[in-house]
Amino acid sequence: MKRYNISWMLALLVTVLSSCSDYLDINTNPNQATSVQPLLVLPAAITGTASVSNQFNSYGGHFGGYIANAGGFSGFGNLFNYQLIPDNYNGLWVNAYDNLNDYKYVIDQTKGDDKLAYANAAANIMVAYNFQKLVDAFGDVPYTEALQNNANLTPKYDDAATIYQDLVTKLDEAIALIDAAEFPTSLNSSSDPLFGGDMTKWKRFANTVKLRILIRVSGVPALSSFVTTKFAAMDKTLGFIADDAIVNPGYVKDKPNPLWNTWGYQTTGALANSSRIPTEFAFGFYKGPKLTDNGRGSVIYKNFATNTPVNQLGDEVDAPTIITNYSTWYTGTFSSSTSISNALGVLKGPGQGQVLMLLAEAKFLQAEAQLKGFLTGDYVATFDAGISASYTYLYKDVTNVLAAGKNVATDVAAYKADNDDSYLVNIKLATTPAQRLEAIITQKWIAVNMINSEEGYNEFRRTGYPVTQPNGDGYRNIASMLSTSTRADKLPSRILYPTSEQSYNAGNYRVINPFTDLIFWDPN
């Protein structure tokens, strides 16, 4: 495993302290700080998770059917045919573990200190959040022996299913710690850029992450008893997140939101990425041939009314060229590098928050749990609430306030009317459990488009929804047209363990087939 250094900690010390001595100088200054307060580390760690989450979004965008190549660009290489190498998406592993080390520091510094119980609980919740992402991408990963720095530079790989079960335990313990704290130091907006110190929101977030874990393994026979038991023990009165879980430490143009910086504009005003455009497969859920969605489509895609440039991944012959100076996921106005207006939709502006989990996703998770009998409640109403939550997020401006002139209820009603014969929108039309699940997962896939795209890819692998036709055109085929995958859906089953593991943890490194080696919850 990569040898991790808490480099940001040193940077913080350099900023706060004036010292001309070398870090390893034998002439140590006795007045120089040797550690950083955990309440200073926690917000940096949460902000780091926002950045890592954006990297997972980009990975999911490519493999989950959201992003294609634009015209006139080379260099896509093995992304077209899915002949993956360990160097592909190496950053997911390295940066996620770096981020986890930050939380480990917070946990170690706050353990047993009741006054810092809230910080300890929040850090443990974020550890569970991040480890689920790693397992969903890589399967077995270092867990019990991970995050020990020099104490163990070659940690073993733990069984993915066992990690999943322990993450639920970790979340339960974090919730219990919050409830039991007698003299907690309240987190606030400066130490908690996610929930501003609201521990009820933290507990609901933990409950929602737990819900996602349990739903993801709900079809794994070996974990059937575990899932049933944990749902039975779940605190139903606590509930789940009631709004989008968004990190915002104070993003501005010079220090922008990671999503904006990746797919919108750089700090110089230059277009961040001109080589990617939406897929035909994704666009087909907004402007035919699959569904009509004028409300969300118009705020997500530039020139939606005149057909945003789209493509099927791998098509370099007929690929359209991107609109000059525009990301096709940005609907604002570009006048010059110094004049870029804020917008609605996915790319709102450099000051927008970074989504860790959408309320829409939480609602669709609950709808599936209700459909399968794990939770009580009306899955139809919860499904409809998920659609409304998706509209609401996309209709909010850069300050996370619903934009004037946007009426969610009216536009959702129009969406249902425009697709009055589709059970994917009007779930009451579904006549079988399979159709109902298809509707829930398809709407979740639509909701996380370019926000948490990896969740769309995860759920596609788990359920096979939304439906893809490998021999169909780009609007119906989610895979690259140059795919060499041996799977029926012509997609990869996963990515490979990274080059950093080849170099630093060779004894535990595993060679993976990206088509036949499945994540443990993938039945396909």
Side-chain angles (χ1 to χ4, degrees):
M1 173 177 272
K2 180 180 179 289
R3 183 172 181 175
Y4 299 105
N5 295 307
I6 310 178
S7 57
W8 53 265
M9 211 180 294
L10 299 179
L12 180 61
L13 291 174
V14 169
T15 302
V16 176
L17 303 171
S18 297
S19 174
C20 60
S21 61
D22 186 85
Y23 177 63
L24 296 177
D25 196 328
I26 191 171
N27 298 312
T28 303
N29 180 355
N31 297 317
Q32 183 174 344
T34 57
S35 63
V36 182
Q37 291 295 321
L39 290 184
L40 295 177
V41 176
L42 183 61
I46 294 172
T47 303
T49 297
S51 180
V52 172
S53 178
N54 176 59
Q55 294 173 48
F56 275 92
N57 172 55
S58 297
Y59 140 79
H62 285 115
F63 292 121
Y66 298 100
I67 302 173
N69 50 294
F73 292 91
S74 60
F76 282 79
N78 49 11
L79 180 61
F80 281 164
N81 55 27
Y82 304 134
Q83 291 295 325
L84 303 177
I85 60 174
D87 190 53
N88 297 140
Y89 299 97
N90 188 79
L92 293 182
W93 180 286
V94 172
N95 294 325
Y97 272 106
D98 275 346
N99 187 227
L100 283 164
N101 266 291
D102 298 346
Y103 290 117
K104 181 64 162 52
Y105 179 86
V106 175
I107 292 168
D108 289 345
Q109 295 295 312
T110 59
K111 187 175 182 179
D113 187 343
D114 192 69
K115 293 181 179 180
L116 296 174
Y118 285 176
N120 185 283
N124 273 291
I125 292 167
M126 296 308 295
V127 165
Y129 175 88
N130 277 342
F131 264 115
Q132 185 189 16
K133 286 189 177 296
L134 281 168
V135 170
D136 289 345
F138 295 99
D140 297 351
V141 297
Y143 182 66
T144 56
E145 295 183 358
L147 313 180
Q148 297 181 26
N149 294 309
N150 291 341
N152 189 347
L153 298 177
T154 57
K156 70 176 183 178
Y157 286 30
D158 290 279
D159 173 69
T162 302
I163 296 173
Y164 247 55
Q165 294 171 77
D166 194 64
L167 295 181
V168 172
T169 299
K170 187 179 292 292
L171 291 165
D172 285 337
E173 290 174 347
I175 293 172
L177 180 60
I178 293 170
D179 288 336
E182 295 182 14
F183 305 103
T185 297
S186 296
L187 300 180
N188 53 43
S189 58
S190 63
S191 56
D192 177 8
L194 179 53
F195 295 123
D198 189 325
M199 300 314 294
T200 298
K201 290 182 178 180
W202 271 107
K203 291 195 296 181
R204 288 174 176 167
F205 181 62
N207 223 28
T208 312
V209 174
K210 180 166 62 174
L211 174 64
R212 181 162 69 186
I213 291 172
L214 294 175
I215 285 295
R216 186 135 306 151
V217 299
S218 61
V220 179
L223 296 180
S224 175
S225 177
F226 169 78
V227 171
T228 301
T229 300
K230 288 300 181 180
F231 265 116
M234 181 179 283
D235 184 353
K236 312 299 192 304
T237 60
L238 173 60
F240 308 98
I241 58 172
D243 202 351
D244 307 301
I246 297 176
V247 174
N248 197 333
Y251 296 121
V252 292
K253 182 178 182 296
D254 291 336
K255 295 181 179 180
N257 165 281
L259 182 72
W260 175 265
N261 197 49
T262 301
W263 300 108
Y265 295 87
Q266 299 173 345
T267 56
T268 60
L271 190 63
N273 194 306
S274 58
S275 63
R276 269 74 166 173
I277 57 177
T279 61
E280 293 174 337
F281 187 87
F283 195 69
F285 284 107
Y286 299 88
K287 200 171 184 182
K290 292 175 286 196
L291 295 174
T292 298
D293 190 347
N294 292 313
R296 287 183 289 187
S298 63
V299 296
I300 294 175
Y301 297 115
K302 184 68 178 176
N303 289 353
F304 177 74
T306 56
N307 289 324
T308 290
V310 294
N311 193 34
Q312 183 178 7
L313 186 66
D315 185 355
E316 295 188 278
V317 177
D318 301 316
T321 302
I322 196 170
I323 305 168
T324 303
N325 291 328
Y326 279 96
S327 161
T328 47
W329 294 278
Y330 167 65
T331 58
T333 301
F334 177 93
S335 299
S336 67
S337 61
T338 58
S339 181
I340 304 171
S341 69
N342 291 323
L344 306 182
V346 171
L347 294 178
K348 304 173 187 292
Q352 72 182 88
Q354 184 74 30
V355 175
L356 296 190
M357 182 183 288
L358 287 168
L359 175 61
E361 182 192 349
K363 291 296 184 182
F364 293 128
L365 287 167
Q366 292 169 70
E368 182 176 348
Q370 290 165 346
L371 176 67
K372 293 180 174 180
F374 295 124
L375 295 177
T376 59
D378 182 2
Y379 70 84
V380 174
T382 308
F383 171 85
D384 288 341
I387 294 176
S388 294
S390 175
Y391 270 79
T392 299
Y393 173 74
L394 292 170
Y395 282 5
K396 287 182 178 180
D397 62 20
V398 72
T399 65
N400 203 36
V401 174
L402 189 67
K406 286 296 184 181
N407 189 306
V408 171
T410 298
D411 287 1
V412 169
Y415 180 50
K416 288 184 169 293
D418 288 340
N419 301 279
D420 59 358
D421 61 346
S422 174
Y423 62 81
L424 298 179
V425 178
N426 297 281
I427 197 171
K428 287 184 178 180
L429 298 177
T431 58
T432 66
Q435 288 184 342
R436 294 174 189 125
L437 180 61
E438 180 187 356
I440 292 169
I441 300 302
T442 299
Q443 284 296 334
K444 185 191 298 184
W445 190 94
I446 294 169
V448 299
N449 175 12
M450 291 301 291
I451 300 168
N452 299 125
S453 298
E454 77 281 2
E455 285 304 310
Y457 178 48
N458 292 337
E459 295 294 59
F460 174 82
R461 288 182 290 169
R462 177 176 72 94
T463 67
Y465 300 130
V467 172
T468 180
Q469 300 172 9
N471 296 320
D473 63 16
Y475 288 101
R476 295 170 178 82
N477 181 7
I478 200 171
S480 169
M481 64 186 300
L482 299 179
S483 172
T484 59
S485 172
T486 55
R487 288 170 59 109
D489 57 27
K490 305 302 291 182
L491 285 163
S493 63
R494 52 165 298 152
I495 52 179
L496 309 183
Y497 290 111
T499 53
S500 58
E501 286 295 281
Q502 284 182 314
S503 300
Y504 296 102
N505 197 11
N508 291 304
Y509 179 80
R510 301 179 187 178
V511 176
I512 293 297
N513 185 308
F515 306 134
T516 59
D517 289 329
L518 309 180
I519 306 301
F520 77 100
W521 44 250
D522 183 353
N524 300 300

